[in-house]
DNA sequence: ACGGTTTCGACC
DNA sequence: TGGTCGAAA
């Protein structure tokens, strides 16, 4: 709910910039022959020509509207050009638009604090720039004002018929007797006009903008004159603007609150709202919302422009409307894999480009249950710590789904056999990654990995001082871990029918694949346990783009003793690059591997990590890793696995992890650590200087919780 | 069958 | 305080 924020008395200059039919513009830039033609971007062409998600202004003249179907658009505008949203992995791929949005943001952020409000909208706080301009080069002295600025719409500026509009604007901007607020806005006009011209020049995109003293008014204004125009809201025109404005047009009042205002309070315009005493509004809507309403009725909004150029989360989702609902676990897993693949890719880009890592994975779904009293029950969202690596994300997301499904279907519907109707359907699925924090680069950086930015499961890793220098590298497994192999893995409590129609059409050789995966997983599993996993771990041959580890190979755990002895066998083996890729500590970070669904590991960590040194703790998947390239070569992609793996292990999050002496880390990997971390490590190993293959580093171990990954 | 995202406040 | 949910854009 909206919360009242007192607006400081110091006037701000806020702009809201809104790209004009952005997706259309992106497509028109790709295909310039579409420029000037009635065009719409459409997604999913199969049903009635797909849904329009962006409509060019040329097409709007024909009455084409967003959320028409492509077919309807053709009816009212037969010559309309329908461009499909790119599709990847069977779903809409918005990356092109995201990236185009980034181009714009990078330009718009030049003159002041910039908040990326959506894929095609930003807020700018231009107060400082405006104040500076006012002090150094006030518009009053300008004899030449850019035409783009002169085309501004200034609310309340009465353009008597016959008067030269641009000349009026020039006068308004140049006014000597204007108050400070208007002078600031005049500077805002010039700055925004220039920014918009830069956007056009550098990206070929047009945008519209609103310029006002707060975000609310700026947003309101940006939509008033489109496309490719800007609108200014001087303080003196606020009341006139708001008085007759339908209440639902206000940001935050487009939904239930706005409806309630209308139906419960008889408020249809902001002017109506203005009449209400603050107390009355608070009575009805609570202190905060009441005050907020009272304020916005007066054009008062203290919301700050957050300096945020990057999204706070990433998500990938898809709907499966009506008859396309997913009715089997394997089909859900198939789509989950697609979504996770996209998510993982975006997380990797974010890591590469922005040096940030997400720490929480969340699964959302919508479902219906046909025959049940509480068929309106919502499918529960579930989240867990996010581990980097496509395969891991897929695995964890699937576990989250299964956990959610069991909760959703409840005690009944436990078991269905064969291809009979399972009684439920998934109508939308999405995975998202949140809690994105920068990977630290300051001093004490490693400690920060544990304390500052890591998710709570790290909280038990109090400090590196507690790590036992003398302890054998210790396998960190919860005591109760069992050894699951594919053949003896416990059946899920909910046994789902074998997939019928849909999945077999889509994934023809699923069964074959399944058996293949099974056999290979067994041998790989063996490999994973008996061969040096560390080389592949540390060699950097795996990366976050790599993925699709077979599901069967996950959650295969061994008991602690087994692990320890196997580790000892391996101990002393040189950690070595396999030669298939460049060692990269960054790749390790990318696969940073927090505990997935529980905290037993971190507790274990606490127990075993006592002493002075640090150690590198590596969670891994005991299996071979096929690089993406390899997989592509084989022409194989991940296949759903028919829900045959254990679901028992969900939730307790057992997982393999290794603690390494620093000696066992491929020293070349060190080179790629951030300098600060290198320095830290060097400090630890004092008095010995860091050198490759240094063996005299007793008691000095890096501590972190990595996982194996592959490098693309 | 208004799609895919993203953010934010409420609530527990 | 964090997870989950719903509203809103």
């Amino acid at each position: 709910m909206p919360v009242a924020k007192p607006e400081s008395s110091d006037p701000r200059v806020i702009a809201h910039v809104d790209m004009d039919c952005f997706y259309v513009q992106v497509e028109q830039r790709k295909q310039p022959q579409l420029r000037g033609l009635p065009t719409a971007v459409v997604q999913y062409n199969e049903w009635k020509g797909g849904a329009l998600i962006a409509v060019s202004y040329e097409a709007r003249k024909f009455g084409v509207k967003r959320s028409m179907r492509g077919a309807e658009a053709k009816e009212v505008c037969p010559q309309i050009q329908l461009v499909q949203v790119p599709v990847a992995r069977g779903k809409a791929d918005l990356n092109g638009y995201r990236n185009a949005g980034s181009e714009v943001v990078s330009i718009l952020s030049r003159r002041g604090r910039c908040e990326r409000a959506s894929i095609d909208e930003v807020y700018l706080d231009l107060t400082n720039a405006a104040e500076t301009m006012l002090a150094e080069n006030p518009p009053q002295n300008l004899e030449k004002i850019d035409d783009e600025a002169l085309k501004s719409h200034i609310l309340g500026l009465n353009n008597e018929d016959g008067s030269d509009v641009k000349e009026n604007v020039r006068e308004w901007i140049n006014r000597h007797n204007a108050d400070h607020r208007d002078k600031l806005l005049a500077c805002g006009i010039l700055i925004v006009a220039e920014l918009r011209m830069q956007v056009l020049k550098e990206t070929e995109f047009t945008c519209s903008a609103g310029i006002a003293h707060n975000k609310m008014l700026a947003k309101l204004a940006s939509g008033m004159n489109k496309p490719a125009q800007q609108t200014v809201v001087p303080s003196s025109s606020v009341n006139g603007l708001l008085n007759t404005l339908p209440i639902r047009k206000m940001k935050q009042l487009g939904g239930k609150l706005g409806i309630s205002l209308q139906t419960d309070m008889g408020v249809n315009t902001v002017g109506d709202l203005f009449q209400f005493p603050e107390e009355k509004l608070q009575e009805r809507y609570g202190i905060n919302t009441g005050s907020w309403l009272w304020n916005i009725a007066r054009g008062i909004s203290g919301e700050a422009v957050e300096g945020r150029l990057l999204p706070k989360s990433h998500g990938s989702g898809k709907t499966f409307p009506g008859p396309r609902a997913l009715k089997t676990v394997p089909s859900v897993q198939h789509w989950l894999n697609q979504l996770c693949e996209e998510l993982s890719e975006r997380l990797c880009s974010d890591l590469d480009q922005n040096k940030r890592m997400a720490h929480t994975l969340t699964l959302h779904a919508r479902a219906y249950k046909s025959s049940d009293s509480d068929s309106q029950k919502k499918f529960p969202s579930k989240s867990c710590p996010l581990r980097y690596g496509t395969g891991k994300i897929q695995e964890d997301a699937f576990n989250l789904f299964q956990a959610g499904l069991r909760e959703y279907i409840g005690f009944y519907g436990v078991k269905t056999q064969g291809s009979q109707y399972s009684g439920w359907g998934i109508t939308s699925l999405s995975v998202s990654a949140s809690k994105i924090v920068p990977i630290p680069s300051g001093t004490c950086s490693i400690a920060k990995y544990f304390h500052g930015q890591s998710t709570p499961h790290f909280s038990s890793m109090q400090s590196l001082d507690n790590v036992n220098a003398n302890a054998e590298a210790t396998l960190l497994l919860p005591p109760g871990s069992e050894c699951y192999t594919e053949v003896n893995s416990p059946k899920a409590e909910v046994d789902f029918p074998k997939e019928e129609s849909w999945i077999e059409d889509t994934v023809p050789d699923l069964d074959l694949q399944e058996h293949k995966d099974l056999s290979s997983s067994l041998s790989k599993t063996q490999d994973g346990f008996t061969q040096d996993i560390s080389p592949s771990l540390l060699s950097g041959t795996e990366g976050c783009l790599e993925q699709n580890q077979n599901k069967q190979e996950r959650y295969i755990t061994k008991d602690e003793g087994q692990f320890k002895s196997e580790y000892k066998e391996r101990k002393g083996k040189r950690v070595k690059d396999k030669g298939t890729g460049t060692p990269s500590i960054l790749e390790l970070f990318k696969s940073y591997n927090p505990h997935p669904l529980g905290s037993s590991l971190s507790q274990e960590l606490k127990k075993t990590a006592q002493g002075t040194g640090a150690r590198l703790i590596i969670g891994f998947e005991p299996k071979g890793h096929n690089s993406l390239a390899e997989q592509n070569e084989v022409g194989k992609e991940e296949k759903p696995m028919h829900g045959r793996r254990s679901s028992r292990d969900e939730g307790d999050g057992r997982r393999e992890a290794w603690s390494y002496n620093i000696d066992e880390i491929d020293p070349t990997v060190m080179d790629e650590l951030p300098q600060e971390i290198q320095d830290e490590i060097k400090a630890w190993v004092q008095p010995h200087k860091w050198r490759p293959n240094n063996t005299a580093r007793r008691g000095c171990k890096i501590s972190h919780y990595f996982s194996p990954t592959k490098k693309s």
Side-chain angles (χ1 to χ4, degrees), chain A residues 485 518-537 550 553 556 558 563 566-567 569-570 573 578 620-626 656 658 660:
Chain A
T485 64
L518 173 53
S519 52
S520 67
S521 84
L522 288 172
S523 61
K524 283 176 191 167
T525 298
Q526 299 286 346
D527 289 354
F529 280 100
T530 58
Q531 292 182 355
D532 50 348
I533 50 147
S534 33
S536 58
L537 272 187
N550 300 308
E553 300 169 9
I556 297 173
K558 298 199 167 191
F563 249 133
E566 282 169 1
Y567 176 68
E569 280 174 32
R570 200 161 41 250
K573 252 183 171 174
K578 265 179 181 160
F620 71 97
E621 293 172 6
K623 57 177 286 296
H625 312 287
N626 305 319
E656 306 77 18
W658 289 91
Y660 273 90

Side-chain angles (χ1 to χ4, degrees), chain A residues 469-510:
Chain A
N470 296 325
E472 262 323 306
T474 307
L475 182 61
L476 301 170
L477 259 192
S481 299
E482 304 158 62
C483 178
Y484 295 140
T485 64
E486 192 45 39
V487 277
N488 67 7
S489 69
K491 276 288 177 226
E493 282 164 33
V494 181
D495 198 1
F496 294 99
K498 199 150 167 39
E499 182 53 297
E500 17 65 83
S501 55
W502 181 88
I503 193 78
E504 276 156 11
D505 292 344
T506 317
V507 189
D509 59 344
L510 197 66

Side-chain angles (χ1 to χ4, degrees), chain A residues 415-591:
Chain A
K415 196 160 178 150
T416 48
Q417 286 278 348
S419 53
Q420 77 197 46
Y421 184 40
S422 33
W424 50 267
I426 300 296
T427 54
S428 97
L429 263 185
S430 78
V431 288
S432 57
S434 58
K435 294 198 189 141
I436 307 182
V437 299
I439 62 181
S441 61
T443 52
C444 295
S445 41
I446 291 183
K448 278 190 218 156
Y449 277 109
F450 290 95
H451 303 258
Q453 59 142 354
S454 56
T455 36
H457 51 277
F458 272 124
S459 56
S460 60
M461 297 178 67
Q462 297 305 355
S463 74
L464 302 178
D465 327 312
N466 283 336
V467 182
N468 184 356
N470 296 325
E472 262 323 306
T474 307
L475 182 61
L476 301 170
L477 259 192
S481 299
E482 304 158 62
C483 178
Y484 295 140
T485 64
E486 192 45 39
V487 277
N488 67 7
S489 69
K491 276 288 177 226
E493 282 164 33
V494 181
D495 198 1
F496 294 99
K498 199 150 167 39
E499 182 53 297
E500 17 65 83
S501 55
W502 181 88
I503 193 78
E504 276 156 11
D505 292 344
T506 317
V507 189
D509 59 344
L510 197 66
D511 282 351
L512 267 171
Q513 182 58 31
E514 187 174 0
H515 292 140
K516 257 190 196 162
D517 287 353
L518 173 53
S519 52
S520 67
S521 84
L522 288 172
S523 61
K524 283 176 191 167
T525 298
Q526 299 286 346
D527 289 354
F529 280 100
T530 58
Q531 292 182 355
D532 50 348
I533 50 147
S534 33
S536 58
L537 272 187
L538 298 174
S539 67
T541 56
E542 332 164 25
C544 45
L545 294 183
E546 184 295 326
Q547 62 263 176
N548 291 337
Q549 293 126 8
N550 300 308
K551 302 298 182 276
Q552 296 92 329
E553 300 169 9
R554 307 225 187 79
Y555 283 67
I556 297 173
T557 59
K558 298 199 167 191
D559 68 67
E560 191 169 359
Q562 220 172 330
F563 249 133
K564 277 183 176 166
S565 61
E566 282 169 1
Y567 176 68
K568 283 176 185 165
E569 280 174 32
R570 200 161 41 250
K571 229 185 98 202
K573 252 183 171 174
R574 196 61 256 142
V575 175
K576 189 171 176 313
D577 187 63
K578 265 179 181 160
T580 49
T582 316
S584 168
I585 200 75
L586 196 52
E587 298 305 325
L588 277 177
F589 281 118
K590 287 176 182 177
S591 60

Side-chain angles (χ1 to χ4, degrees), chain A residues 190-244:
Chain A
L190 302 179
I191 295 165
V192 172
E194 186 178 349
L195 284 171
R196 289 178 45 243
M197 289 190 298
Q198 289 175 350
V199 168
L200 180 57
K201 187 169 185 186
E202 297 175 37
T203 69
E204 304 177 24
F205 300 140
T206 68
C207 55
S208 299
I211 302 148
H213 291 304
N214 63 49
K215 286 169 84 171
M216 179 192 82
L217 296 171
K219 163 100 178 163
L220 219 41
S222 69
M224 299 185 68
N225 294 284
K226 276 179 147 284
Q229 296 163 77
Q230 57 186 52
T231 305
V232 190
V233 187
S235 289
S236 55
S237 68
V238 169
N239 288 158
L241 165 66
L242 295 181
N243 192 42
T244 58

